[in-house]
Amino acid sequence: MADETAKGTAGFIFEMGVMKQAKRTGWWFTGNNNPESIADHSFRVGIIGAVLAMMEGVDPAKVALMCLFHDTQETRIGDIPHIGRRYIKAASNETVTADQVARAHPAVKAGVQRVVEEYEANDSPEAIVAKDADKLECLVQAMEYRAQGNMLVQDWIDTSLSSLKTASARELAEAALTMSPLEWRQTFLG
């Protein structure tokens, strides 16, 4: 018979699978009826976070870990779009995370809570970079949706761009804004 903390940890892992199915609802306002999943978003936020951390000279593993866990609470409260937050008072991400890992292995419980708390506090260099990674991913995704014909994404681009704090994130955003999402292929195709 499995140990209760092993079952609690396995349950947390199963719950994280919900992120693969749950859609990022803010994109519905742009007319996109099949937006990326929360897991799709979180994966690229992790990649961007590690890249930005390398450029900014902070711990890329720590930043990537924060990015990986930054939206895990949405398995329980959903992806509340910014406009919805005006009307809905949801529990804090720290509270949701504590409930999610309450039955997990003690090291998992402490580790996940620590990562989410630091991200939400946004007062360490790594947390600032992780928040920038989230905003930069939104900007890049909006540009991809625009390239696919969805022209109602400019507000997402503008809001994301104005939210960036680090020089590296602003530099990458400006570069991204000057190119096609598939321009990287041309290097190899000649």
Side-chain angles (χ1 to χ4, degrees), residues 35-79:
E36 65 179 335
S37 73
I38 297 165
D40 294 333
H41 165 71
S42 294
F43 170 76
R44 187 158 57 179
V45 172
I47 297 292
I48 293 170
V51 167
L52 286 176
M54 292 171 198
M55 294 173 72
E56 287 290 315
V58 299
D59 184 350
K62 186 175 182 182
V63 171
L65 192 61
M66 281 187 212
C67 293
L68 187 62
F69 285 98
H70 86 284
D71 277 343
T72 56
Q73 307 78 19
E74 292 179 12
T75 63
R76 299 213 175 172
I77 60 173
D79 178 29

Side-chain angles (χ1 to χ4, degrees), residues 16-143:
M16 293 304 98
V18 171
M19 293 174 56
K20 296 184 341 182
Q21 305 305 318
K23 300 295 185 180
R24 303 247 306 147
T25 58
W27 296 117
W28 291 341
F29 292 100
T30 68
N32 185 335
N33 295 324
N34 190 25
E36 65 179 335
S37 73
I38 297 165
D40 294 333
H41 165 71
S42 294
F43 170 76
R44 187 158 57 179
V45 172
I47 297 292
I48 293 170
V51 167
L52 286 176
M54 292 171 198
M55 294 173 72
E56 287 290 315
V58 299
D59 184 350
K62 186 175 182 182
V63 171
L65 192 61
M66 281 187 212
C67 293
L68 187 62
F69 285 98
H70 86 284
D71 277 343
T72 56
Q73 307 78 19
E74 292 179 12
T75 63
R76 299 213 175 172
I77 60 173
D79 178 29
I80 303 169
H82 287 283
I83 196 168
R85 293 178 190 161
R86 179 176 178 170
Y87 306 100
I88 298 171
K89 178 70 176 147
S92 72
N93 284 343
E94 297 92 332
T95 299
V96 176
T97 299
D99 287 347
Q100 288 176 314
V101 296
R103 294 180 49 234
H105 184 281
V108 173
K109 179 179 176 179
V112 171
Q113 286 181 290
R114 183 176 55 251
V115 166
V116 170
E117 287 168 3
E118 183 174 349
Y119 177 82
E120 294 298 331
N122 197 27
D123 59 6
S124 69
E126 287 83 5
I128 292 165
V129 169
K131 293 269 186 178
D132 269 5
D134 183 36
K135 298 301 181 188
L136 185 56
E137 199 286 328
C138 184
L139 180 145
V140 168
Q141 185 63 65
M143 292 183 59

